Amino acid sequence: MGPLLLAFVLAVLAWLLVVGDLVRRHRPAWHWYLTGYPAAAWRVVFTWRRVALLNDLAVSRLPARTLVGHLLVKGDPVRPVAPRISFPRATRMGLSVVVRLHAGQTPATYMQAADALVHAWKVHAVRVTSPERGLVLLTATATDPLERPGLASAPAELLSALIGALETGGAWVMNLRLVPHWLIAGATRSGKSTLLARLITQLAPQPVALVGIDCKGGMELGLFTDRLSALATCRREAVAVLTALVVDMQDRMNACRTAGVRSIWELPDKLCPVPVVVLVDEIAELYLSDGTRQSKAEAEQCSTLLLRLAQLGAALGLHLVVAGQRVGSDLGPGVTALRAQLGGRICHRVNDPGTAEMTLGDLNKDAVTVAQAITAQERGVAVCTGPDGGWARARSHLTPTDEAVATARKYSGMTPELPALDRALVALEGDGK
């Protein structure tokens, strides 16, 4: 009977191991709720006091100075009291804890202790936020949710593109109606080109015009020529295209003023012009100058035209998506002025801190630190901003080049004609001859 019982126990254990591995791979959320969360919650509860003491989160109710006879004695406060916390609440791939701050404490102290909490609780990351005065919310994620992000879904809307998945498991959406202009930064092989390809495949089936400006000879955006209403492959062509867009923008202004409305979206359907999304790849090529008079003049023209589109285009259906490997103040004051108009920000792995600072620094310093921590192995991972002004880590869905090209070719019949841009490029070719 003993050997039979032992064999039965071993068989049950083996079966549990096999089932547990299957659940972990195919239903990670279930695996977390059943095994990961109880252990993590236990660590949070039983390590909180020690972590609070070691990271200056505990506060003594006794003064650090006291009078002994006629002597004033100063020393470390005794009997420190750790802040009160709620019981860890399970989330889909982590847990959250609410901390009630002591009088005089600020969330900054908890942000500094975030790394200590990660090691003490044995989780992937801890995010510190303050939902209301006097409270801090510690949100822990057990594993990196972007290592194998699932395919998120989002309702289809005009000028809205499903880019990928957020670290929360939700959909990463670029909605140009909510955030009209975007800045995308990323080094070579960081996922920037894949994101642009994904954006084009999402916008291709929609009744919008796509205009490309790719000063690398059209190597990137030229793949999608079938769906582009116009493509500029050098700075001289970019000046012609942007000038034509500014003229078109003025025509749209006149139409809105005549109709007594504030945007093209208030116009009757038969009078509403087609929305235009301008995709600029490698923004630095538009601002760099070789010192010649013509080069400086072209750079200044590009800077002025882009800034006018960014300042006035949102209500007129003209949207900018500007991408580059390096975006820094050394490119000139025009870049800084343009950056201020690009409310949407996406920062992949970058080669220099200045680009991360330029992309996210004016919004949130913590986002800059997180963006600089993205490794070369995390292709497609980025820090992005949302319509609410916050930020999150996200990962774009992998869109192979052949798939993106096939999608652009499939919807080539939906490419709107922009005669003004065609005439500008034809006139430029004539001048060149």
Side-chain angles (χ1 to χ4, degrees), residues 213-218 232-236 238 281-282 285-286:
I213 298 178
D214 182 0
C215 290
K216 294 187 294 184
T233 59
C234 65
R235 185 163 57 188
R236 191 161 171 257
D281 192 23
E282 205 47 66
E285 290 296 322
L286 296 180

Side-chain angles (χ1 to χ4, degrees), residues 195-277:
L195 188 146
L196 287 176
R198 175 71 183 182
L199 177 61
I200 291 174
T201 59
Q202 289 287 294
L203 295 178
Q206 303 182 26
V208 300
L210 302 178
V211 175
I213 298 178
D214 182 0
C215 290
K216 294 187 294 184
M219 290 191 304
E220 294 289 346
L221 299 182
L223 299 173
F224 315 107
T225 304
D226 292 333
R227 187 57 182 84
L228 297 180
S229 297
L231 174 63
T233 59
C234 65
R235 185 163 57 188
R236 191 161 171 257
E237 293 180 354
V239 171
V241 167
L242 292 173
T243 301
L245 286 172
V246 169
V247 173
D248 180 61
M249 180 176 67
Q250 293 171 341
D251 294 339
R252 297 182 182 214
M253 286 182 189
N254 294 332
C256 290
R257 185 176 64 251
T258 302
V261 297
R262 294 182 175 179
S263 72
I264 64 168
W265 309 112
E266 301 175 25
L267 292 171
D269 292 342
K270 62 180 181 179
L271 297 179
C272 185
V274 62
V276 179
V277 180

Side-chain angles (χ1 to χ4, degrees), residues 313-338:
L316 302 171
L318 296 171
H319 306 274
L320 286 178
V321 178
V322 178
Q325 297 184 38
R326 184 176 61 85
V327 183
S329 56
D330 59 309
L331 297 178
V335 173
T336 304
L338 178 63

Side-chain angles (χ1 to χ4, degrees), residues 17 27 33 71 76-77 129 197 213 288 292 303 340 374 378 387 391 398 405-406 411 414 426-427 429 432:
L17 289 175
R27 293 291 187 271
Y33 284 126
L71 296 177
D76 294 330
T129 56
I213 298 178
L288 291 176
T292 63
S303 175
I374 299 174
E378 297 176 297
W391 62 272
L398 178 61
V405 172
Y411 294 102
M414 296 187 63
V426 170
E429 291 179 0

Side-chain angles (χ1 to χ4, degrees), residues 413-433:
M414 296 187 63
T415 305
E417 293 185 3
L418 300 178
L421 274 65
D422 294 335
R423 289 195 298 269
L425 291 175
V426 170
L428 192 64
E429 291 179 0
D431 294 341
K433 294 179 181 179

Side-chain angles (χ1 to χ4, degrees), residues 341-414:
Q341 300 297 327
L342 306 179
R345 310 289 177 81
I346 300 173
C347 186
H348 294 84
R349 176 183 58 84
V350 292
N351 292 325
D352 62 302
T355 297
E357 181 70 29
M358 188 72 169
T359 308
L360 301 169
D362 61 327
L363 301 179
N364 194 297
K365 296 297 182 182
D366 294 331
V368 176
T369 303
V370 174
Q372 290 179 288
I374 299 174
T375 64
Q377 289 72 33
E378 297 176 297
R379 294 187 62 184
V381 174
V383 174
C384 66
T385 57
D388 58 351
W391 62 272
R393 290 175 74 245
R395 192 167 202 163
S396 57
H397 291 321
L398 178 61
T399 304
T401 302
D402 54 352
E403 178 185 333
V405 172
T407 302
R409 188 176 297 115
K410 176 181 178 181
Y411 294 102
S412 60
M414 296 187 63

